[in-house]
Amino acid sequence: MTAWADLVPQYENSSDDALYAALGAALLGEALGVSPMDRARLGRFAKNWFTNKADEMLQRLKATDTYRIWTETAGPGQLAETGVLAGALHEQGSDDRVAAALGEALARDTAAKHTRSYDVAVSFTDEVREYVRSVVEAARALGLVVFFKPDMTVEWWGRNFLVEGRKVYGQRSWHFVPFLSPAYLAAPHALDAFATAITAAAQRSDDYVLPVLVDQPEVPTELLNPAIGFLRTEDHTPAELATHLLAKVRRTKAAGTAARDFGAAVRTSGS
């Protein structure tokens, strides 16, 4: 194992203040020391330097062989872990201390920028739009942050709706709620959203996908395991379903490990 790789676990387990103090010392070629004032000075220097350099640095790393090889095997939504970034930095000439500390700082910064924005993301087709809208309104009244694609018409103007949707359904929501109807199962855009969420679910909590059946759809077993629990719209009012969603989100957030961004979870586990 190379010297920078030996240092990576140490920095992965450090606090932000300790990490930036170590990065400042490495950048300035100083010993870390034990004085709190010294560490604070080094940390301030490193944070200011990092704020100005992080985006540029990450773009440069993407041109390295280390990063290119990683992207060839990375899964959808996966973020580069510290070891990949540190290795790319070392490839570009950074010394061991800088590579390890800066790699961890970049990994944390990237993960923070990709944290989830929504408690729940709903996916549906037009025939159930009004029921879903009522669920969304009731859930929002309970304090949940809900992704409802019709709200994004202006924000996503000029963007690729499939690509933007995949970011939400695969990375930026605590739970994905598909309203599975016969029309849903025949709609390519809906199935794309569902496939994105199922891929994410493989790396996240078992109940990331919360299916709701509309009418009597024949859901192929290759799309949804028959053992997965589901609810039916006919059995629950929108207000009742919103209450169930609130309970699910609270449990997920309380569990802790499921509260991380998909890519961050992969990075932390070292997958």
Side-chain angles (χ1 to χ4, degrees), residues 68-269:
R68 178 183 55 78
I69 292 169
W70 172 78
T71 58
E72 292 173 354
T73 58
Q78 185 174 345
L79 304 182
E81 65 272 16
T82 302
V84 171
L85 298 171
L89 286 160
H90 193 263
E91 180 183 330
Q92 288 197 325
S94 294
D95 69 25
D96 293 324
R97 292 169 63 203
V98 171
L102 182 54
E104 175 61 16
L106 285 168
R108 292 186 190 186
D109 183 67
T110 303
K113 290 176 179 176
H114 288 77
T115 52
R116 294 212 261 279
S117 305
Y118 302 98
D119 294 317
V120 172
V122 298
S123 176
F124 60 95
T125 42
D126 280 343
E127 82 286 359
V128 73
R129 178 185 294 261
E130 291 312 309
Y131 178 90
V132 175
R133 186 186 300 276
S134 296
V135 172
V136 169
E137 291 173 353
R140 288 174 174 170
L142 293 174
L144 292 176
V145 180
V146 184
F147 173 81
F148 185 58
K149 194 166 76 170
D151 294 341
M152 308 304 289
T153 302
V154 174
E155 185 171 339
W156 286 2
W157 185 14
R159 302 184 190 177
N160 186 317
F161 270 56
L162 280 180
V163 172
E164 296 302 320
R166 288 169 189 160
K167 294 175 184 176
V168 174
Y169 304 133
Q171 302 173 31
R172 298 179 182 169
S173 303
W174 292 81
H175 284 287
F176 172 77
V177 182
F179 289 80
L180 301 176
S181 64
Y184 189 102
L185 297 174
H189 70 278
L191 291 178
D192 185 88
F194 188 81
T196 299
I198 289 294
T199 299
Q203 300 290 338
R204 288 164 61 165
S205 61
D206 290 339
D207 59 352
Y208 169 62
V209 176
L210 302 174
V212 179
L213 271 54
V214 182
D215 297 328
Q216 298 293 328
E218 295 184 7
V219 183
T221 56
E222 61 268 23
L223 284 183
L224 186 67
N225 188 323
I228 298 296
F230 57 83
L231 299 181
R232 292 183 181 274
T233 56
E234 63 198 60
D235 297 331
H236 302 275
T237 67
E240 289 170 344
L241 187 54
T243 300
H244 297 324
L245 289 173
L246 176 62
K248 274 288 188 183
V249 170
R250 283 177 172 172
R251 283 196 293 270
T252 299
K253 291 183 176 181
T257 55
R260 295 170 296 171
D261 173 79
F262 170 38
V266 172
R267 177 177 68 82
T268 303
S269 67

